[in-house]
Amino acid sequence: MVALLEKILPVLIIILIGWILRKTKIISAASMNELKNIIVHVALPCILFLSFSRMELESKYVIVVVLVFAMCGVLYITGVFFRRQMPKVFGSIFTPWFMAGFEFGMIGVGLFGALWGTEKLPLFILIGLGHEFFAWFVCIPYIQFKNSGTFNILDTLKKFLTTPVILAILSGIFVNATGLYPVFKSFFWGRAAFNTMTLLSNITVPLILMIIGYSLVFEPGNYGITIPHITGRFTLVLCIGSITLLLIQLLVGKLDPLFNIAFYAYLLLPPSYLIPVLVKNNEKERNFFSQTVVYYTIVSFAGYIILMLI
């Protein structure tokens, strides 16, 4: 229990610091958004590049990515079913994305890195890669089409390939697969570049945790709809996710001993924080998803504590 508290308390304290920063208005919301930009465009790409450039790449990992992509597809289709069969509760066009989306970058990396160590992040990031493909090429295009009536696949592909996070992952895989990592490390400028990225990646986890705390704004909501959304998604994700994990074990074979923990850590993540951002011209719906995601985040924290106890 003491060892558990030694890991959890620092995480909770840093999250509390973020919450205090908002309550005391030491940092404005605009400044926090700029801090998010630093994480998304600089710190997080550094940690992703280093993770993928160092990890041992195996062809069987492709199966993991494909199965996670398929899992997201099943969750999305189930969300469509809920929307059509229970429109009074799940009537939003964002319900499928609520069911299938995971806040992998801004919460997953921070929590997993803090609790299980940044050296194990490549394992966690591998699981989230299938979700990123699904988000970019299924969920976001569908929502854009529903909002505007138009969709450009080339524009989406361009944005995908130029997004710092995706660019960092693909670059890391390229450097790893081509054997360039040890070549770069043999030169002083290469070592300097990797050391710089290591220093920048070290700030990622604490900054993400502070942002999580800053974002925890609790307001009264429609609990008659919020509770079914949270319980429905939580149950659905754990059931379909457990089946997916079983398929991975059968098809892929032996993986890292921490893989099962990493997979459930991924399943426990809250829905994507992008949902409220993507809601257009409907303030009531935007507020609903904002609050529902916040409450789900608390459920995720509780799930992570239980996962660590296991």
Side-chain angles (χ1 to χ4, degrees), residues 69 131-142 151 153-161 166:
F69 183 96
H131 168 265
E132 292 302 299
F133 282 108
F134 187 84
W136 273 95
F137 294 105
V138 178
C139 287
I140 293 177
Y142 173 78
F151 165 63
I153 183 62
L154 292 178
D155 185 53
T156 299
L157 183 61
K158 180 181 177 182
K159 289 180 180 178
F160 174 79
L161 293 175
I166 300 300

PDB file of all heavy atoms in Angstrom, residues 69 131-142 151 153-161 166:
ATOM      1  N   PHE A  69      -7.796  -0.740 -34.096  1.00  0.00           N
ATOM      2  CA  PHE A  69      -8.590  -0.005 -35.086  1.00  0.00           C
ATOM      3  C   PHE A  69      -9.965  -0.658 -35.225  1.00  0.00           C
ATOM      4  O   PHE A  69     -11.003   0.035 -35.225  1.00  0.00           O
ATOM      5  CB  PHE A  69      -7.861  -0.005 -36.431  1.00  0.00           C
ATOM      6  CG  PHE A  69      -8.558   0.783 -37.507  1.00  0.00           C
ATOM      7  CD1 PHE A  69      -8.195   2.092 -37.762  1.00  0.00           C
ATOM      8  CD2 PHE A  69      -9.578   0.217 -38.271  1.00  0.00           C
ATOM      9  CE1 PHE A  69      -8.825   2.835 -38.760  1.00  0.00           C
ATOM     10  CE2 PHE A  69     -10.221   0.942 -39.257  1.00  0.00           C
ATOM     11  CZ  PHE A  69      -9.836   2.249 -39.507  1.00  0.00           C
ATOM     12  N   HIS A 131      -6.005   3.613 -32.637  1.00  0.00           N
ATOM     13  CA  HIS A 131      -7.031   4.617 -32.362  1.00  0.00           C
ATOM     14  C   HIS A 131      -6.782   5.905 -33.148  1.00  0.00           C
ATOM     15  O   HIS A 131      -7.720   6.531 -33.647  1.00  0.00           O
ATOM     16  CB  HIS A 131      -7.065   4.926 -30.863  1.00  0.00           C
ATOM     17  CG  HIS A 131      -7.872   6.139 -30.515  1.00  0.00           C
ATOM     18  ND1 HIS A 131      -7.306   7.390 -30.362  1.00  0.00           N
ATOM     19  CD2 HIS A 131      -9.200   6.298 -30.312  1.00  0.00           C
ATOM     20  CE1 HIS A 131      -8.258   8.252 -30.067  1.00  0.00           C
ATOM     21  NE2 HIS A 131      -9.409   7.632 -30.036  1.00  0.00           N
ATOM     22  N   GLU A 132      -5.516   6.318 -33.251  1.00  0.00           N
ATOM     23  CA  GLU A 132      -5.197   7.545 -33.972  1.00  0.00           C
ATOM     24  C   GLU A 132      -5.593   7.438 -35.446  1.00  0.00           C
ATOM     25  O   GLU A 132      -6.133   8.380 -36.021  1.00  0.00           O
ATOM     26  CB  GLU A 132      -3.700   7.850 -33.847  1.00  0.00           C
ATOM     27  CG  GLU A 132      -3.265   8.230 -32.441  1.00  0.00           C
ATOM     28  CD  GLU A 132      -4.026   9.438 -31.925  1.00  0.00           C
ATOM     29  OE1 GLU A 132      -3.928  10.514 -32.532  1.00  0.00           O
ATOM     30  OE2 GLU A 132      -4.738   9.297 -30.903  1.00  0.00           O
ATOM     31  N   PHE A 133      -5.328   6.286 -36.055  1.00  0.00           N
ATOM     32  CA  PHE A 133      -5.747   6.077 -37.447  1.00  0.00           C
ATOM     33  C   PHE A 133      -7.265   6.132 -37.566  1.00  0.00           C
ATOM     34  O   PHE A 133      -7.807   6.732 -38.506  1.00  0.00           O
ATOM     35  CB  PHE A 133      -5.228   4.728 -37.965  1.00  0.00           C
ATOM     36  CG  PHE A 133      -3.779   4.731 -38.352  1.00  0.00           C
ATOM     37  CD1 PHE A 133      -2.833   4.077 -37.580  1.00  0.00           C
ATOM     38  CD2 PHE A 133      -3.361   5.398 -39.489  1.00  0.00           C
ATOM     39  CE1 PHE A 133      -1.497   4.091 -37.933  1.00  0.00           C
ATOM     40  CE2 PHE A 133      -2.025   5.418 -39.855  1.00  0.00           C
ATOM     41  CZ  PHE A 133      -1.091   4.761 -39.063  1.00  0.00           C
ATOM     42  N   PHE A 134      -7.959   5.524 -36.614  1.00  0.00           N
ATOM     43  CA  PHE A 134      -9.422   5.516 -36.650  1.00  0.00           C
ATOM     44  C   PHE A 134      -9.974   6.922 -36.466  1.00  0.00           C
ATOM     45  O   PHE A 134     -10.920   7.326 -37.166  1.00  0.00           O
ATOM     46  CB  PHE A 134      -9.967   4.589 -35.555  1.00  0.00           C
ATOM     47  CG  PHE A 134     -11.457   4.392 -35.635  1.00  0.00           C
ATOM     48  CD1 PHE A 134     -11.993   3.441 -36.489  1.00  0.00           C
ATOM     49  CD2 PHE A 134     -12.320   5.172 -34.878  1.00  0.00           C
ATOM     50  CE1 PHE A 134     -13.368   3.265 -36.583  1.00  0.00           C
ATOM     51  CE2 PHE A 134     -13.690   5.008 -34.970  1.00  0.00           C
ATOM     52  CZ  PHE A 134     -14.225   4.054 -35.816  1.00  0.00           C
ATOM     53  N   ALA A 135      -9.400   7.661 -35.547  1.00  0.00           N
ATOM     54  CA  ALA A 135      -9.872   9.024 -35.289  1.00  0.00           C
ATOM     55  C   ALA A 135      -9.720   9.907 -36.519  1.00  0.00           C
ATOM     56  O   ALA A 135     -10.650  10.635 -36.898  1.00  0.00           O
ATOM     57  CB  ALA A 135      -9.106   9.619 -34.102  1.00  0.00           C
ATOM     58  N   TRP A 136      -8.560   9.828 -37.149  1.00  0.00           N
ATOM     59  CA  TRP A 136      -8.273  10.714 -38.273  1.00  0.00           C
ATOM     60  C   TRP A 136      -9.041  10.350 -39.544  1.00  0.00           C
ATOM     61  O   TRP A 136      -9.423  11.237 -40.308  1.00  0.00           O
ATOM     62  CB  TRP A 136      -6.776  10.712 -38.563  1.00  0.00           C
ATOM     63  CG  TRP A 136      -6.029  11.710 -37.734  1.00  0.00           C
ATOM     64  CD1 TRP A 136      -5.387  11.486 -36.551  1.00  0.00           C
ATOM     65  CD2 TRP A 136      -5.868  13.098 -38.013  1.00  0.00           C
ATOM     66  NE1 TRP A 136      -4.840  12.642 -36.082  1.00  0.00           N
ATOM     67  CE2 TRP A 136      -5.110  13.653 -36.955  1.00  0.00           C
ATOM     68  CE3 TRP A 136      -6.277  13.928 -39.049  1.00  0.00           C
ATOM     69  CZ2 TRP A 136      -4.759  14.988 -36.904  1.00  0.00           C
ATOM     70  CZ3 TRP A 136      -5.933  15.264 -39.007  1.00  0.00           C
ATOM     71  CH2 TRP A 136      -5.188  15.785 -37.944  1.00  0.00           C
ATOM     72  N   PHE A 137      -9.249   9.060 -39.772  1.00  0.00           N
ATOM     73  CA  PHE A 137      -9.810   8.653 -41.061  1.00  0.00           C
ATOM     74  C   PHE A 137     -11.241   8.127 -40.991  1.00  0.00           C
ATOM     75  O   PHE A 137     -11.819   7.794 -42.024  1.00  0.00           O
ATOM     76  CB  PHE A 137      -8.903   7.599 -41.711  1.00  0.00           C
ATOM     77  CG  PHE A 137      -7.557   8.156 -42.093  1.00  0.00           C
ATOM     78  CD1 PHE A 137      -6.437   7.859 -41.333  1.00  0.00           C
ATOM     79  CD2 PHE A 137      -7.425   9.003 -43.175  1.00  0.00           C
ATOM     80  CE1 PHE A 137      -5.198   8.391 -41.663  1.00  0.00           C
ATOM     81  CE2 PHE A 137      -6.188   9.540 -43.521  1.00  0.00           C
ATOM     82  CZ  PHE A 137      -5.071   9.233 -42.756  1.00  0.00           C
ATOM     83  N   VAL A 138     -11.835   8.092 -39.802  1.00  0.00           N
ATOM     84  CA  VAL A 138     -13.237   7.686 -39.678  1.00  0.00           C
ATOM     85  C   VAL A 138     -14.033   8.725 -38.904  1.00  0.00           C
ATOM     86  O   VAL A 138     -14.958   9.339 -39.434  1.00  0.00           O
ATOM     87  CB  VAL A 138     -13.366   6.299 -39.003  1.00  0.00           C
ATOM     88  CG1 VAL A 138     -14.848   5.935 -38.843  1.00  0.00           C
ATOM     89  CG2 VAL A 138     -12.654   5.235 -39.817  1.00  0.00           C
ATOM     90  N   CYS A 139     -13.681   8.934 -37.650  1.00  0.00           N
ATOM     91  CA  CYS A 139     -14.497   9.781 -36.775  1.00  0.00           C
ATOM     92  C   CYS A 139     -14.502  11.247 -37.181  1.00  0.00           C
ATOM     93  O   CYS A 139     -15.565  11.836 -37.397  1.00  0.00           O
ATOM     94  CB  CYS A 139     -14.005   9.653 -35.329  1.00  0.00           C
ATOM     95  SG  CYS A 139     -14.447   8.083 -34.574  1.00  0.00           S
ATOM     96  N   ILE A 140     -13.337  11.852 -37.262  1.00  0.00           N
ATOM     97  CA  ILE A 140     -13.258  13.287 -37.559  1.00  0.00           C
ATOM     98  C   ILE A 140     -13.832  13.605 -38.947  1.00  0.00           C
ATOM     99  O   ILE A 140     -14.606  14.564 -39.083  1.00  0.00           O
ATOM    100  CB  ILE A 140     -11.808  13.793 -37.417  1.00  0.00           C
ATOM    101  CG1 ILE A 140     -11.384  13.706 -35.939  1.00  0.00           C
ATOM    102  CG2 ILE A 140     -11.668  15.221 -37.937  1.00  0.00           C
ATOM    103  CD1 ILE A 140      -9.955  14.097 -35.671  1.00  0.00           C
ATOM    104  N   PRO A 141     -13.518  12.826 -40.002  1.00  0.00           N
ATOM    105  CA  PRO A 141     -14.142  13.101 -41.307  1.00  0.00           C
ATOM    106  C   PRO A 141     -15.664  13.004 -41.270  1.00  0.00           C
ATOM    107  O   PRO A 141     -16.361  13.817 -41.886  1.00  0.00           O
ATOM    108  CB  PRO A 141     -13.549  12.018 -42.217  1.00  0.00           C
ATOM    109  CG  PRO A 141     -12.241  11.697 -41.607  1.00  0.00           C
ATOM    110  CD  PRO A 141     -12.468  11.800 -40.126  1.00  0.00           C
ATOM    111  N   TYR A 142     -16.196  12.020 -40.525  1.00  0.00           N
ATOM    112  CA  TYR A 142     -17.651  11.860 -40.431  1.00  0.00           C
ATOM    113  C   TYR A 142     -18.280  13.084 -39.769  1.00  0.00           C
ATOM    114  O   TYR A 142     -19.299  13.616 -40.248  1.00  0.00           O
ATOM    115  CB  TYR A 142     -17.979  10.602 -39.635  1.00  0.00           C
ATOM    116  CG  TYR A 142     -19.457  10.438 -39.345  1.00  0.00           C
ATOM    117  CD1 TYR A 142     -20.333   9.986 -40.326  1.00  0.00           C
ATOM    118  CD2 TYR A 142     -19.977  10.746 -38.089  1.00  0.00           C
ATOM    119  CE1 TYR A 142     -21.693   9.843 -40.070  1.00  0.00           C
ATOM    120  CE2 TYR A 142     -21.329  10.607 -37.824  1.00  0.00           C
ATOM    121  CZ  TYR A 142     -22.184  10.154 -38.809  1.00  0.00           C
ATOM    122  OH  TYR A 142     -23.521  10.031 -38.556  1.00  0.00           O
ATOM    123  N   PHE A 151     -16.378  16.917 -47.363  1.00  0.00           N
ATOM    124  CA  PHE A 151     -15.248  16.185 -46.812  1.00  0.00           C
ATOM    125  C   PHE A 151     -14.206  16.003 -47.909  1.00  0.00           C
ATOM    126  O   PHE A 151     -14.523  15.610 -49.027  1.00  0.00           O
ATOM    127  CB  PHE A 151     -15.699  14.813 -46.286  1.00  0.00           C
ATOM    128  CG  PHE A 151     -14.557  13.871 -46.036  1.00  0.00           C
ATOM    129  CD1 PHE A 151     -13.590  14.170 -45.090  1.00  0.00           C
ATOM    130  CD2 PHE A 151     -14.435  12.697 -46.750  1.00  0.00           C
ATOM    131  CE1 PHE A 151     -12.530  13.319 -44.865  1.00  0.00           C
ATOM    132  CE2 PHE A 151     -13.383  11.828 -46.535  1.00  0.00           C
ATOM    133  CZ  PHE A 151     -12.438  12.137 -45.574  1.00  0.00           C
ATOM    134  N   ILE A 153     -10.698  14.077 -48.591  1.00  0.00           N
ATOM    135  CA  ILE A 153      -9.791  13.049 -48.099  1.00  0.00           C
ATOM    136  C   ILE A 153      -8.331  13.487 -48.213  1.00  0.00           C
ATOM    137  O   ILE A 153      -7.504  13.197 -47.334  1.00  0.00           O
ATOM    138  CB  ILE A 153     -10.007  11.715 -48.851  1.00  0.00           C
ATOM    139  CG1 ILE A 153      -9.101  10.618 -48.265  1.00  0.00           C
ATOM    140  CG2 ILE A 153      -9.775  11.875 -50.335  1.00  0.00           C
ATOM    141  CD1 ILE A 153      -9.362  10.282 -46.839  1.00  0.00           C
ATOM    142  N   LEU A 154      -7.991  14.228 -49.286  1.00  0.00           N
ATOM    143  CA  LEU A 154      -6.613  14.686 -49.459  1.00  0.00           C
ATOM    144  C   LEU A 154      -6.230  15.707 -48.389  1.00  0.00           C
ATOM    145  O   LEU A 154      -5.104  15.698 -47.877  1.00  0.00           O
ATOM    146  CB  LEU A 154      -6.431  15.294 -50.857  1.00  0.00           C
ATOM    147  CG  LEU A 154      -6.527  14.305 -52.030  1.00  0.00           C
ATOM    148  CD1 LEU A 154      -6.373  15.032 -53.357  1.00  0.00           C
ATOM    149  CD2 LEU A 154      -5.469  13.207 -51.901  1.00  0.00           C
ATOM    150  N   ASP A 155      -7.174  16.576 -48.060  1.00  0.00           N
ATOM    151  CA  ASP A 155      -6.925  17.566 -47.014  1.00  0.00           C
ATOM    152  C   ASP A 155      -6.730  16.872 -45.664  1.00  0.00           C
ATOM    153  O   ASP A 155      -5.845  17.240 -44.889  1.00  0.00           O
ATOM    154  CB  ASP A 155      -8.098  18.549 -46.936  1.00  0.00           C
ATOM    155  CG  ASP A 155      -7.840  19.671 -45.947  1.00  0.00           C
ATOM    156  OD1 ASP A 155      -6.790  20.318 -46.065  1.00  0.00           O
ATOM    157  OD2 ASP A 155      -8.687  19.895 -45.050  1.00  0.00           O
ATOM    158  N   THR A 156      -7.551  15.850 -45.392  1.00  0.00           N
ATOM    159  CA  THR A 156      -7.418  15.093 -44.145  1.00  0.00           C
ATOM    160  C   THR A 156      -6.072  14.372 -44.085  1.00  0.00           C
ATOM    161  O   THR A 156      -5.409  14.371 -43.040  1.00  0.00           O
ATOM    162  CB  THR A 156      -8.557  14.059 -44.025  1.00  0.00           C
ATOM    163  OG1 THR A 156      -9.814  14.742 -44.010  1.00  0.00           O
ATOM    164  CG2 THR A 156      -8.418  13.239 -42.754  1.00  0.00           C
ATOM    165  N   LEU A 157      -5.669  13.762 -45.193  1.00  0.00           N
ATOM    166  CA  LEU A 157      -4.393  13.055 -45.245  1.00  0.00           C
ATOM    167  C   LEU A 157      -3.225  14.022 -45.013  1.00  0.00           C
ATOM    168  O   LEU A 157      -2.274  13.698 -44.295  1.00  0.00           O
ATOM    169  CB  LEU A 157      -4.240  12.356 -46.597  1.00  0.00           C
ATOM    170  CG  LEU A 157      -2.974  11.504 -46.789  1.00  0.00           C
ATOM    171  CD1 LEU A 157      -2.937  10.379 -45.764  1.00  0.00           C
ATOM    172  CD2 LEU A 157      -2.921  10.949 -48.203  1.00  0.00           C
ATOM    173  N   LYS A 158      -3.331  15.213 -45.604  1.00  0.00           N
ATOM    174  CA  LYS A 158      -2.281  16.222 -45.442  1.00  0.00           C
ATOM    175  C   LYS A 158      -2.173  16.646 -43.980  1.00  0.00           C
ATOM    176  O   LYS A 158      -1.071  16.746 -43.418  1.00  0.00           O
ATOM    177  CB  LYS A 158      -2.582  17.435 -46.331  1.00  0.00           C
ATOM    178  CG  LYS A 158      -1.542  18.544 -46.222  1.00  0.00           C
ATOM    179  CD  LYS A 158      -1.903  19.725 -47.104  1.00  0.00           C
ATOM    180  CE  LYS A 158      -0.895  20.857 -46.944  1.00  0.00           C
ATOM    181  NZ  LYS A 158      -1.269  22.048 -47.781  1.00  0.00           N
ATOM    182  N   LYS A 159      -3.311  16.895 -43.343  1.00  0.00           N
ATOM    183  CA  LYS A 159      -3.307  17.291 -41.931  1.00  0.00           C
ATOM    184  C   LYS A 159      -2.772  16.176 -41.051  1.00  0.00           C
ATOM    185  O   LYS A 159      -2.042  16.414 -40.087  1.00  0.00           O
ATOM    186  CB  LYS A 159      -4.728  17.672 -41.491  1.00  0.00           C
ATOM    187  CG  LYS A 159      -5.230  18.986 -42.076  1.00  0.00           C
ATOM    188  CD  LYS A 159      -6.640  19.288 -41.603  1.00  0.00           C
ATOM    189  CE  LYS A 159      -7.138  20.603 -42.187  1.00  0.00           C
ATOM    190  NZ  LYS A 159      -8.543  20.888 -41.776  1.00  0.00           N
ATOM    191  N   PHE A 160      -3.129  14.940 -41.390  1.00  0.00           N
ATOM    192  CA  PHE A 160      -2.667  13.781 -40.627  1.00  0.00           C
ATOM    193  C   PHE A 160      -1.140  13.681 -40.671  1.00  0.00           C
ATOM    194  O   PHE A 160      -0.486  13.515 -39.635  1.00  0.00           O
ATOM    195  CB  PHE A 160      -3.300  12.513 -41.202  1.00  0.00           C
ATOM    196  CG  PHE A 160      -2.778  11.231 -40.589  1.00  0.00           C
ATOM    197  CD1 PHE A 160      -3.229  10.810 -39.351  1.00  0.00           C
ATOM    198  CD2 PHE A 160      -1.846  10.448 -41.267  1.00  0.00           C
ATOM    199  CE1 PHE A 160      -2.751   9.636 -38.779  1.00  0.00           C
ATOM    200  CE2 PHE A 160      -1.369   9.276 -40.707  1.00  0.00           C
ATOM    201  CZ  PHE A 160      -1.817   8.865 -39.460  1.00  0.00           C
ATOM    202  N   LEU A 161      -0.579  13.793 -41.862  1.00  0.00           N
ATOM    203  CA  LEU A 161       0.860  13.613 -42.038  1.00  0.00           C
ATOM    204  C   LEU A 161       1.677  14.783 -41.511  1.00  0.00           C
ATOM    205  O   LEU A 161       2.884  14.645 -41.282  1.00  0.00           O
ATOM    206  CB  LEU A 161       1.178  13.386 -43.522  1.00  0.00           C
ATOM    207  CG  LEU A 161       0.655  12.069 -44.111  1.00  0.00           C
ATOM    208  CD1 LEU A 161       0.910  12.017 -45.611  1.00  0.00           C
ATOM    209  CD2 LEU A 161       1.293  10.866 -43.422  1.00  0.00           C
ATOM    210  N   ILE A 166       1.726  12.775 -35.050  1.00  0.00           N
ATOM    211  CA  ILE A 166       1.825  11.717 -36.061  1.00  0.00           C
ATOM    212  C   ILE A 166       3.177  11.765 -36.753  1.00  0.00           C
ATOM    213  O   ILE A 166       3.804  10.720 -37.003  1.00  0.00           O
ATOM    214  CB  ILE A 166       0.688  11.862 -37.104  1.00  0.00           C
ATOM    215  CG1 ILE A 166      -0.678  11.755 -36.416  1.00  0.00           C
ATOM    216  CG2 ILE A 166       0.829  10.816 -38.189  1.00  0.00           C
ATOM    217  CD1 ILE A 166      -0.919  10.442 -35.704  1.00  0.00           C
TER     218      ILE A 166
END
